[in-house]
Amino acid sequence: MSWKKTDKSTWKCPQCRKLKTSNEQPVSPEEMRKFMRSVSDFMKSANEKLESMDELKQSVQFIREQYDELIKQVKQVEAEREAQRTQIAGLEEQVNKRDDDIKSLRRRLRDTEQYARNRNVEVTGVEVVAGEDMRKVMANIAENINVPFQEGDIDVIFAIPEGCWTPENCCTVLYPVDSEQMAEAEEPWRGDTEPSSSARRDQQHQEFCDTFSNSAIDVIGVSETFYKESSHMCVPNYNVYHVNSVNRGGGGVALYVHNRIKSRLIAKSDGDILKPEYVIVEIQCANETILVSCIYRPPKVEFLEYYLDDLYKLLPSYKYSVICGDLNARFGSGSYETKLVCELLDRCDHASVPFDATYKLNNCKSILDVIASNSNDHVIEYGQCVAPGFSAHYMLHCVLDLRVKAVKSKIIKFKDFKRINKVALVEDAKNTP
């Protein structure tokens, strides 16, 4: 083996000797330091990103746990809602049953009230003296006709005025009449001596006709007519517009308009027992067109917006409007029903005619019935009188004078320049000094 001395600065390992020589310059120490710094920066950035990835993993894990908890809560809420649905269905069934019971009780109460009035007696031809004790008058009458009588036999007694003065050419007189006494009885009268329901209906209808058929009243409003489709509704000399309650006794409204006045039906309710019942009629009286409504709102019944929806559409087209009927307003009681009716009248810009109590029975007094108008300054007379032949409600009347004053004729003198006599004009001009 031989050894050869070589220069250390040019020495290369055997493997490097086999490689071809290149023209690349060797890397300087400064470039190497820059390279190492860049590598260090890259590693530092990579480490920061790895740390961010760890935080992201932790966030994802937290969200996953929260999502699982939310799913559990949703399932729990759905289970509670299903239990509430079941409970509500049971409550609705109970409410419907209570409603049926209430309706049945109301019918029975109404039938009882109607039967209680079968002892009403009307005596005519007796001169009425102001302040006179009517019980003593009845005692004198009974003595003259030899009928046993005691003052305790009478529960309530009224002196009925002969009628209300109606000025000629006044536009409308309105009588809202609660006509429970005119109702058709759903059950036959008890006892062998009582008349049949058919005979009783005919008698009541005849009494109503006798009272109003020959009157000069323009419009008659009737609430709680108790009419059915088979009922006698017509009154001589009057056109009738009515709504009957569907599938129940009681309720119903009607407007009777004298046939000397042009009238037509504008709107009416559908007879639903859970909503107010109303008819809206247009009448042409004197020189004006008037919108007249008759409405019956049963106690505790709301849904007045159905009536207001029809009324709002019509009011802008009419200068005069009148609302009458039994709204069960209970004015002065401060009750929710009073507030409800007052809001209705305020929205329509109507004011109620100031009547006293319109319902009196024993110790009960209340203002239930209304005549309201948007032109109370035209009211020239109003009043009320008892109506034991019809109901415990008073009959109300109101007279509105809507006549338009006649315009006085005037003579206007003017020169007609279209028909000038030119020859005469020229001669006059020549003769002018």
Side-chain angles (χ1 to χ4, degrees):
M1 177 179 296
S2 61
W3 296 86
K4 184 178 180 180
K5 187 177 180 178
T6 60
D7 189 358
K8 293 181 179 180
S9 60
T10 60
W11 184 86
K12 296 181 180 180
C13 66
Q15 187 174 0
C16 292
R17 291 189 193 123
K18 294 179 181 180
L19 297 175
K20 295 181 179 180
T21 59
S22 61
N23 296 325
E24 295 180 357
Q25 297 294 328
V27 178
S28 65
E30 183 64 27
E31 292 177 346
M32 182 60 70
R33 282 194 291 270
K34 290 181 179 180
F35 174 74
M36 293 303 295
R37 280 197 298 269
S38 64
V39 171
S40 177
D41 294 339
F42 174 77
M43 294 299 296
K44 183 178 180 181
S45 175
N47 290 332
E48 291 177 353
K49 291 181 179 180
L50 288 174
E51 292 176 358
S52 300
M53 290 295 293
D54 292 338
E55 294 177 357
L56 183 59
K57 288 180 180 179
Q58 294 177 0
S59 300
V60 170
Q61 183 64 27
F62 175 77
I63 293 173
R64 182 178 299 172
E65 294 174 356
Q66 294 295 320
Y67 176 76
D68 294 338
E69 183 67 21
L70 182 62
I71 292 297
K72 292 179 181 178
Q73 294 179 2
V74 169
K75 291 181 179 179
Q76 184 179 357
V77 170
E78 289 180 350
E80 292 176 354
R81 287 185 60 187
E82 187 63 29
Q84 290 176 353
R85 289 194 190 99
T86 304
Q87 184 179 4
I88 290 172
L91 292 174
E92 288 179 348
E93 185 177 356
Q94 294 179 12
V95 169
N96 293 333
K97 184 177 179 180
R98 295 292 185 275
D99 288 342
D100 293 338
D101 293 342
I102 291 172
K103 294 174 185 177
S104 176
L105 290 173
R106 284 178 176 173
R107 281 195 296 269
R108 292 171 60 185
L109 177 61
R110 203 181 299 274
D111 292 342
T112 303
E113 290 175 347
Q114 295 303 315
Y115 181 74
R117 293 191 178 101
N118 68 340
R119 298 175 61 87
N120 286 358
V121 176
E122 181 179 354
V123 179
T124 60
V126 179
E127 182 179 358
V128 178
V129 179
E132 187 175 18
D133 188 348
M134 298 305 300
R135 293 179 184 272
K136 293 182 179 180
V137 173
M138 289 302 303
N140 294 332
I141 294 175
E143 183 180 356
N144 292 330
I145 62 176
N146 296 322
V147 174
F149 172 78
Q150 294 180 359
E151 292 188 7
D153 295 338
I154 299 177
D155 295 328
V156 181
I157 185 169
F158 300 97
I160 305 175
E162 293 182 358
C164 298
W165 171 71
T166 305
E168 294 182 357
N169 298 326
C170 289
C171 292
T172 178
V173 181
L174 298 153
Y175 277 80
V177 181
D178 188 308
S179 185
E180 293 184 7
Q181 189 64 17
M182 299 167 57
E184 296 180 356
E186 294 182 359
E187 297 180 3
W189 283 84
R190 301 165 179 82
D192 297 334
T193 60
E194 299 292 351
S196 65
S197 60
S198 177
R200 179 170 173 266
R201 286 196 301 270
D202 294 340
Q203 181 180 0
Q204 292 162 351
H205 179 258
Q206 187 61 45
E207 182 179 358
F208 185 72
C209 291
D210 292 343
T211 304
F212 296 107
S213 60
N214 294 321
S215 69
I217 300 172
D218 295 327
V219 181
I220 304 171
V222 186
S223 60
E224 286 193 275
T225 59
F226 282 60
Y227 286 158
K228 294 180 180 178
E229 293 303 325
S230 59
S231 301
H232 297 289
M233 305 175 196
C234 297
V235 174
N237 302 320
Y238 282 88
N239 298 317
V240 59
Y241 306 93
H242 64 92
V243 170
N244 301 334
S245 297
V246 179
N247 299 326
R248 72 151 183 169
V253 293
L255 272 175
Y256 289 88
V257 184
H258 204 284
N259 57 16
R260 71 173 180 275
I261 301 173
K262 292 183 179 180
S263 61
R264 66 186 182 98
L265 179 66
I266 301 297
K268 67 177 183 177
S269 59
D270 56 7
D272 190 336
I273 62 175
L274 299 179
K275 301 175 185 177
E277 299 166 322
Y278 59 89
V279 289
I280 304 176
V281 175
E282 174 193 280
I283 65 173
Q284 295 182 3
C285 192
N287 298 323
E288 297 293 343
T289 302
I290 310 167
L291 194 68
V292 181
S293 307
C294 185
I295 179 172
Y296 169 62
R297 186 188 73 86
K300 309 299 182 182
V301 170
E302 298 185 16
F303 302 107
L304 286 171
E305 59 270 15
Y306 289 95
Y307 168 66
L308 291 175
D309 286 345
D310 283 338
L311 191 61
Y312 284 160
K313 298 175 185 176
L314 300 170
L315 284 178
S317 302
Y318 295 87
K319 182 179 180 180
Y320 300 108
S321 171
V322 178
I323 300 173
C324 66
D326 181 4
L327 289 168
N328 285 289
R330 298 169 58 197
F331 286 120
S333 65
S335 64
Y336 172 73
E337 293 183 313
T338 302
K339 181 180 178 181
L340 198 68
V341 175
C342 289
E343 287 181 353
L344 181 148
L345 297 179
D346 289 342
R347 291 178 184 177
C348 301
D349 193 25
H350 282 53
S352 178
V353 177
F355 293 105
D356 293 331
T358 63
Y359 176 86
K360 291 184 180 181
L361 186 62
N362 298 330
N363 295 325
C364 176
K365 297 181 181 180
S366 184
I367 305 176
L368 304 180
D369 308 285
V370 173
I371 296 180
S373 172
N374 63 350
S375 54
N376 278 0
D377 53 329
H378 291 273
V379 175
I380 60 175
E381 180 190 352
Y382 66 90
Q384 59 194 100
C385 62
V386 294
F390 298 122
S391 173
H393 291 246
Y394 277 51
M395 285 199 302
L396 313 180
H397 76 274
C398 178
V399 182
L400 289 87
D401 187 358
L402 304 180
R403 291 172 295 181
V404 179
K405 295 182 180 180
V407 179
K408 295 182 180 180
S409 59
K410 295 182 180 180
I411 299 176
I412 300 175
K413 296 181 179 181
F414 65 96
K415 293 182 179 180
D416 189 358
F417 293 100
K418 292 183 179 180
R419 298 181 180 181
I420 295 177
N421 188 333
K422 295 181 180 180
V423 176
L425 177 62
V426 171
E427 291 296 328
D428 289 343
K430 290 179 179 180
N431 299 328
T432 301

